[in-house]
Amino acid sequence: MKIDKFTKFVIRNYELCILMIFSKKNIRFAMRLLLLCSVLSVLFFLGNVIAASINSERMIDNVIASEQLLYEEGEYYAPVRICPGMMKKDNFTDALMLGAAGASAVDSSSVVVRAMENICFYGEDEPKSETALDVLTGKVSVAEAGSPYGRYWHGYLLTLKSMLSIFDLRGIRIVNYILLYSLLAFCLVLSYRRIAGFVSVALLVSMMAVGFPLVPDTLQYSTCFYISLIASATVLALPVRRLTGEWSLLFFFAVGAVTSYFDLLTTPLLTLGFPLTFLLLRRDSLPDNKVWLGSMVMWGLGYGVLWAVKWVLSSALTTYDMIGDAVNSIGIRTVGEDLHREVLGLSFAVWLYCGLFLFAAAAFGTVYAVGRKRIDGFSYRMRECFPFFVIAFLPLAWALVLKNHTLVHLWFVWRVFAITIADLMIFAWLAWRKSVPCKKY
C-alpha cells in the first residue's frame, strides 16, 4: 500500500515528538519535578502539623491583645486620606488569621485534624475580632463560632504563631516594616548593580504606586510581597551561569507552590511577575521565549498542584469534604453569584482596565512609530521586548479570570498592577536601547 507525502510527514514528525518527549533530558527533568513536588508536599504537611503544635499561654495572650487592637481600629481602617477606598487596611482578614492561630491553640481536636481543618471564627453580625475575643476568653465555644477553612494551606500560621509567642500585633508590624523595607532596599541595590539604574527606578515607582508603605501594617498584604521580594533577590543575587533554563522552570514551580502555601489569594501574581522580569533581564537572551513561557506554566502548575494537594489531604484526614468546598469556591470566584456587588465594582474596574489598556496601546504605538524611524533594527528590538509587554498584562488576565474575586476584593487585588507599571516602564526603556545593559556576574 502506498503512503502519500502528507502521511509520511505526519508519521515522521510524530516519531520526532515521541523521541523528544521521552529523551533522557526530559525524563530527568520530569523526575526532578516529581521529586520537588513530593518534597514540597511533605514539607507543607509537616509545617502545618508543627504550626498546630505551637501553643502557649503567652501566645494566646498576644492573640487576645492583637484582636483587641484590630477591634479598636475597625475592620477596614484607612490610615491615609488619599484614596481611602483603595488604601485601607484589611483588619477583617487579619482578625481571621489571628483567630486561626488562637483556634488551633484552644481546639481539642488532634494535631493532624487541626492542621488540616484550619478552624476560623465567623460571627453572625459582629466583627471577626470580636468573635475571636469571645471564644478565646471563654464566652463562646470553638464549636459554636468556628468553621473549617481548610481549602487554603494557611502556611502563614507557622511564622505567625512563632512570632505571637514573643510579641503581639504591634511588635509583628514593627518586624514587618524592618524586614520588608530591608528586602526592598536589597532588591533595589541588586537590580542597580546587576542590571541598570532604570530597573531600580521602575521597581521603586511600581511599589510606591500601589501603596507599599501600607503593606507591612497588614498581615494579609505582607505575604506575597515577602515571597516576591525574596524570589527577586534570589534571581538577582545568583551568578548568571546558575540561571539556566531548567533551574528557572524548577524555581518558578517552587515559587508558585510556596505562594499557595502561605497566601490567602490576595496578590499571588506578584510572586511571578517581578522575579520573572529580573530573570529575563539577567539572562540577556531575549526574547527567551522558552524560558518566560515555561516559567509561567511552571509557576501555575506549582500554585495549582500544591493547592490541590491540600484539598486531597484535608478530605482524606478529616470528615470535611474539602474538595467539594474548593470546587464550589472556584465556581463562585471565576463566575460570580452576587450580581449587586459585581455591578457596584464593575464601573471602577472597567475604567481601570480600559485605562491601562489604552495607555499601553498608545505608548506601544508611539514608541514603535517613532523608534522605527530613529533606531536601526527597531523591529527586532520590539520582538526582544515583547515578553515584558505580555508580563505587564498578566494582572489583567488574572482579574478577568477571577472576576468575582477581583470585583469583591478590588481594594487589595489592584496591587497586582504593580507588575503592569514596572514592566511597561522596562518595555519602553528597552525598546529605545540598542542592547540590554546586563552585567555578566
Side-chain angles (χ1 to χ4, degrees), residues 377-391:
F378 187 73
S379 297
Y380 178 73
R381 170 53 59 189
M382 293 297 286
R383 288 196 296 272
E384 287 188 328
C385 299
F386 182 70
F388 300 101
F389 193 78
V390 175
I391 295 171

Side-chain angles (χ1 to χ4, degrees), residues 269-289:
L269 212 58
L270 290 175
T271 69
L272 169 64
F274 283 106
L276 182 56
T277 298
F278 293 133
L279 177 71
L280 294 176
L281 289 170
R282 291 216 61 211
R283 278 173 57 85
D284 193 21
S285 56
L286 294 170
D288 217 357
N289 292 325

